[in-house]
Amino acid sequence: MDANNKDLSNFSAKTPTVFYGGDYNPDQWPEEVWLEDVQLMREARVNLVSLGIFSWARLEPVQGQYDFDWLDRIMNLLHRNGVMVDLATATASPPAWLALQYPESLPVTKDGTTLWPGSRQQYCPHSKAYREAAALLVSQIATRYRNHPALVMWHINNEYACHVSECFCDASAAAFREWLRQRYGSLERLNDAWGTSFWSQHYADWAEINPPRTTPTQINPTQQLDWQRFCSDSILECFQLERDILRGITPAIPVTTNFMGFFKPLDYWKWAGREDIVSDDAYPDPSDSTSHVDTAMRFDLMRSLGQGKSWILMEQVTSQVNWRPQNVLKRPGQMRMWSYQAVARGANGIMFFQWRASRSGAEKFHGALVPHVGTTNSRVWREVKQLGQELSQLSEVLYSRVTAEVAILMDWESWWALEIPSKPSTSISFINQVKAYYAPLFAKNIPVDFVSPESDLSKYRVVLLPNLYLVKESTAQRLNQFVAGGGKLVMSFFSGIVNEEDHIYLGCYPAPFREMLGIRVEEFDPYVPGQTNSINLAGYGEYKCELWSDVIDLEGAEALATYGSDFYAGKPALTRYHYGKGVSYYLGTQPEAAAMSLLLARVCAEAGVKPTLAVPEGVEVVRRETGDSAYLFLINHNNTNVEITLDQPASNLLSQKNESVEAASLISLEGYGVAILASKISNPGIDQPVMGNK
Ligand code: GLA
């Protein structure tokens, strides 16, 4: 395997098919249970387990004294039973001795509270003692198992920053100062960037600078923004520390660390570039009838973070979690359906937390592949076995990819800056704005990629910018060039407002984009909760809007919608402008979903972007392709039967009989049903739909 180009397709030759399995915690059980475990794993066609994630205290019960015997035995047993191992570095939860011997390794909150052992993740990412102990453990594990035949992947730490995303202790303060020195070079530059002439905040010595600890009132926003950058970077340093040790000892084994979807504290664009395989943990709430839209969105993010490469759904639950106020069961078929949603959107692995439900501890009521009730006569186990059986037959989809012509720009720095208080409104949530764009496209089955400010935009016809509050000049120029070159772009209110130091771009909002948009924004009018206005959408009537109004003057653009009331009634709410060879749209408010849907349908039609397939409401369609083969995933999120018209023959890879579907015939999908229709592309490489109904 080429160590510099490791991805799933490279080592999937070693695995028969899609990865299937979950977190395995054999150290919670007597060894007799292990024998039953591996026998059941075979029965369910489990081929991969994530092993030892929370085993540090068992592996190193006393500092410097390691106990690997039990891990040797279970690694060997798994290998003998055909189960591969995603071996954890076990650094996610330090043993209690670390806190006792190095109390300064414990994290401290903004207001000075120490977070003690007794749960998990109680370490400061800047703690020298933690980093040294973690590094030693990782070297020991990697050296011991470097040649073990079961080892196929390293699982570094676990859900970095899930519980502790920032630490305000003195060591963290010192690390922050050092990070600032590297970023700014001089105090003069820092004072300028932070705008410290305001409120007597000028710094004359680096030692005067602190993390944004609890203060009397609003903290300097650039200080907060730099703190968020610093926290993401320094937790990334912990990851890199482990990764570099593993690379040195096992250069051919790919590394991953499990992400958490749209997780605000960590800039996953920076992280994803430093790991071999992107993986994600997703726990959609079965009580929320729209959770599959959020899940599709995060799965598209995962695919995009890996630049289109396959990724792994590292954790989900078979049925119910234990950490919501009420933990609703997944209905029969729902776990299977949501698993295929991940495969459709690029996953090559379907994994769970956890293999066997615990008897004790904080997660004993969390679902598992093997539930407390056991495997005989258990609905969960039957579904687990069925899915394992099906996935074991799906090797042919392993190399296929999803292609999108629409991109949503997703920038963590802008997200952080947007949501720092002291804005005209604290009600703008970046993720809600992203969803406002994503949901209508999902409903129409139009594939979407997420892009970073640095991504190449040339392969997209449409770029969407939900609230790009902070933008670098170079990014603004690239976006302007995208439109000038023929692209279609849609931008929401409160975009293009500040540079990377959170300083206003003067010259009327949104200064870096005014010429490209053909407008200027004179004032912002944020709404109080519950307040609404309306927009008159030319040719389509009146729609509700909420959250915010920009007061817009046209400077060449045309108004596609105008406000219905207030002192700016009749002024533009939505504009359109020809710029170079392309077209820009600007949306000055948050219209109701139906109006967003109309707007995006218009932009897509104008750009020649078509839905993957016309299907009944509630049916998700995703197309993956490779070479001359295409796979159309049809996923019925309704709990009732639907019928879908096809106009080209295809075989359903999930049908029991693998029967062909006649041209122009109907395919019937039961409630929560899934079909994967395989077909041949007659002109591979040419952008051509396999299925009709466009
Ligand atoms: C996270 C963690 C797991 C487990 C699950 C429970 O995803 O990584 O260790 O706690 O949550 O849902």
Side-chain angles (χ1 to χ4, degrees):
M1 192 189 310
D2 174 3
N4 297 318
N5 184 26
K6 296 186 288 282
D7 71 22
L8 277 185
S9 25
N10 282 345
F11 77 118
S12 59
K14 226 176 157 182
T15 129
T17 182
V18 179
F19 292 121
Y20 190 54
D23 283 22
Y24 183 34
N25 298 305
D27 37 334
Q28 292 179 10
W29 296 93
E31 296 201 16
E32 311 83 82
V33 177
W34 300 1
L35 292 173
E36 189 194 43
D37 283 339
V38 289
Q39 183 255 317
L40 289 173
M41 284 177 192
R42 291 167 70 115
E43 204 177 309
R45 300 196 181 237
V46 162
N47 56 23
L48 181 71
V49 292
S50 304
L51 186 64
I53 292 177
F54 294 103
S55 300
W56 190 346
R58 278 293 301 272
L59 292 172
E60 192 183 1
V62 175
Q63 187 172 19
Q65 290 178 21
Y66 299 97
D67 173 9
F68 288 115
D69 290 351
W70 67 273
L71 193 55
D72 292 351
R73 289 197 293 281
I74 191 66
M75 288 283 284
N76 294 340
L77 183 65
L78 289 165
H79 180 61
R80 283 201 302 278
N81 284 275
V83 179
M84 294 171 285
V85 175
D86 163 37
L87 187 57
T89 58
T91 54
S93 203
W97 56 253
L98 191 82
L100 188 65
Q101 289 173 44
Y102 308 95
E104 77 286 358
S105 69
L106 293 172
V108 175
T109 62
K110 204 181 177 71
D111 62 0
T113 306
T114 297
L115 303 178
W116 292 94
S119 66
R120 63 177 175 185
Q121 216 178 73
Q122 72 287 350
Y123 63 86
C124 160
H126 309 105
S127 155
K128 195 164 165 281
Y130 168 75
R131 287 192 184 193
E132 283 176 3
L136 279 172
L137 178 68
V138 175
S139 311
Q140 291 281 334
I141 295 176
T143 307
R144 189 163 188 104
Y145 298 104
R146 64 198 300 173
N147 294 319
H148 198 287
L151 174 69
V152 292
M153 194 178 353
W154 289 115
H155 187 103
I156 297 187
N157 201 280
N158 191 64
E159 293 191 341
Y160 272 106
C162 171
H163 309 297
V164 179
S165 62
E166 49 187 1
C167 173
F168 294 82
C169 72
D170 290 343
S172 300
F176 184 40
R177 286 179 206 118
E178 188 46 39
W179 184 93
L180 291 167
R181 250 185 225 272
Q182 298 295 326
R183 182 175 175 88
Y184 293 109
S186 71
L187 273 178
E188 194 187 349
R189 272 291 302 120
L190 177 136
N191 278 305
D192 185 45
W194 285 19
T196 55
S197 43
F198 184 79
W199 280 355
S200 184
Q201 289 172 356
H202 187 270
Y203 295 105
D205 189 326
W206 290 98
E208 295 167 2
I209 301 171
N210 279 309
R213 291 173 172 147
T214 303
T215 52
T217 183
Q218 290 170 335
I219 307 178
N220 181 311
T222 315
Q223 180 183 1
Q224 292 185 68
L225 178 59
D226 273 342
W227 175 251
Q228 284 178 286
R229 289 175 171 133
F230 160 74
C231 291
S232 174
D233 282 0
S234 46
I235 299 173
L236 180 56
E237 259 175 36
C238 292
F239 167 82
Q240 281 185 203
L241 172 76
E242 296 195 20
R243 185 206 63 176
D244 292 349
I245 294 168
L246 297 171
R247 284 256 162 94
I249 300 172
T250 55
I253 303 292
V255 304
T256 189
T257 187
N258 41 349
F259 289 164
M260 290 163 284
F262 287 82
F263 182 65
K264 189 175 169 188
L266 303 182
D267 180 351
Y268 281 156
W269 289 120
K270 278 194 180 175
W271 282 67
R274 289 166 169 82
E275 63 180 352
D276 301 305
I277 299 160
V278 170
S279 60
D280 187 40
D281 298 349
Y283 292 93
D285 185 351
S287 74
D288 173 358
S289 63
T290 65
S291 61
H292 62 289
V293 183
D294 299 350
T295 315
M297 189 165 104
R298 68 188 285 159
F299 290 168
D300 285 346
L301 175 68
M302 292 306 134
R303 188 187 63 248
S304 305
L305 286 170
Q307 311 299 325
K309 284 193 309 194
S310 306
W311 56 278
I312 296 178
L313 177 58
M314 190 59 89
E315 287 183 28
Q316 62 167 343
V317 67
T318 50
S319 186
Q320 77 198 132
V321 296
N322 71 317
W323 39 261
R324 294 196 171 99
Q326 291 78 35
N327 299 290
V328 170
L329 293 177
K330 288 182 183 171
R331 273 31 218 175
Q334 225 170 1
M335 178 273 278
R336 172 178 180 266
M337 173 185 68
W338 283 345
S339 300
Y340 281 116
Q341 194 181 24
V343 179
R345 291 177 188 274
N348 275 1
I350 299 298
M351 308 279 289
F352 297 83
F353 179 86
Q354 62 175 330
W355 164 251
R356 185 183 279 277
S358 304
R359 279 193 68 196
S360 59
E363 291 185 320
K364 58 184 173 296
F365 290 112
H366 194 287
L369 287 89
V370 180
H372 289 150
V373 68
T375 54
T376 330
N377 209 10
S378 124
R379 169 177 80 90
V380 163
W381 180 250
R382 279 194 297 277
E383 293 191 27
V384 162
K385 270 195 355 182
Q386 183 196 341
L387 184 60
Q389 166 66 31
E390 287 177 357
L391 293 177
S392 73
Q393 308 295 314
L394 279 188
S395 38
E396 68 171 280
V397 302
L398 274 175
Y399 298 92
S400 60
R401 290 196 174 196
V402 178
T403 309
E405 295 172 320
V406 177
I408 296 180
L409 199 143
M410 157 80 209
D411 179 21
W412 261 265
E413 296 204 355
S414 181
W415 182 4
W416 294 332
L418 176 73
E419 294 180 4
I420 288 169
S422 68
K423 297 289 184 317
S425 170
T426 53
S427 301
I428 305 177
S429 138
F430 176 69
I431 292 303
N432 287 347
Q433 292 304 310
V434 173
K435 270 192 222 164
Y437 280 86
Y438 186 88
L441 295 167
F442 175 86
K444 290 204 159 49
N445 289 302
I446 292 177
V448 172
D449 276 348
F450 287 90
V451 290
S452 83
E454 270 76 49
S455 298
D456 173 16
L457 302 176
S458 59
K459 63 176 176 168
Y460 300 104
R461 295 179 190 223
V462 177
V463 171
L464 306 172
L465 304 177
N467 297 93
L468 187 63
Y469 163 74
L470 175 152
V471 66
K472 285 185 192 157
E473 265 179 51
S474 55
T475 306
Q477 273 166 19
R478 291 179 53 245
L479 290 164
N480 292 340
Q481 280 158 11
F482 169 76
V483 181
K488 311 282 183 291
L489 178 146
V490 186
M491 183 186 292
S492 274
F493 58 93
F494 212 40
S495 293
I497 304 299
V498 298
N499 66 11
E500 64 265 47
E501 291 170 352
D502 199 24
H503 292 200
I504 302 284
Y505 282 113
L506 296 175
C508 265
Y509 315 119
F513 298 120
R514 259 179 80 188
E515 192 189 322
M516 181 266 283
L517 296 167
I519 59 159
R520 67 167 206 149
V521 175
E522 192 185 335
E523 291 184 88
F524 312 129
D525 188 21
Y527 299 1
V528 293
Q531 183 185 345
T532 59
N533 195 336
S534 64
I535 58 168
N536 299 306
L537 197 53
Y540 294 96
E542 193 161 300
Y543 292 87
K544 202 173 84 175
C545 64
E546 56 189 6
L547 203 61
W548 178 286
S549 279
D550 278 337
V551 182
I552 301 172
D553 289 328
L554 299 178
E555 290 183 328
E558 60 176 316
L560 294 184
T562 52
Y563 290 109
S565 63
D566 222 314
F567 74 91
Y568 41 81
K571 279 179 87 64
L574 169 65
T575 65
R576 178 173 179 272
Y577 186 53
H578 282 276
Y579 179 72
K581 294 186 192 143
V583 179
S584 63
Y585 288 79
Y586 184 84
L587 186 55
T589 185
Q590 173 62 68
E592 62 180 290
M596 278 308 277
S597 188
L598 283 170
L599 166 64
L600 292 171
R602 173 182 177 148
V603 176
C604 286
E606 203 170 85
V609 175
K610 295 172 185 155
T612 309
L613 181 72
V615 286
E617 207 177 312
V619 178
E620 176 179 351
V621 186
V622 186
R623 179 183 157 92
R624 287 180 65 151
E625 40 174 86
T626 172
D628 64 351
S629 300
Y631 304 94
L632 198 70
F633 286 70
L634 303 175
I635 302 171
N636 180 15
H637 292 280
N638 304 292
N639 57 11
T640 50
N641 209 63
V642 291
E643 296 199 322
I644 296 160
T645 310
L646 306 173
D647 68 354
Q648 182 167 330
S651 55
N652 180 4
L653 298 182
L654 296 182
S655 106
Q656 299 299 320
K657 293 163 272 155
N658 207 23
E659 83 272 28
S660 290
V661 179
E662 291 301 318
S665 66
L666 285 181
I667 181 164
S668 182
L669 277 187
E670 58 184 8
Y672 301 146
V674 182
I676 306 176
L677 304 180
S679 59
K680 289 291 167 205
I681 306 173
S682 42
N683 282 314
I686 296 176
D687 183 23
Q688 169 192 288
V690 170
M691 299 292 156
N693 292 1
K694 298 246 162 183

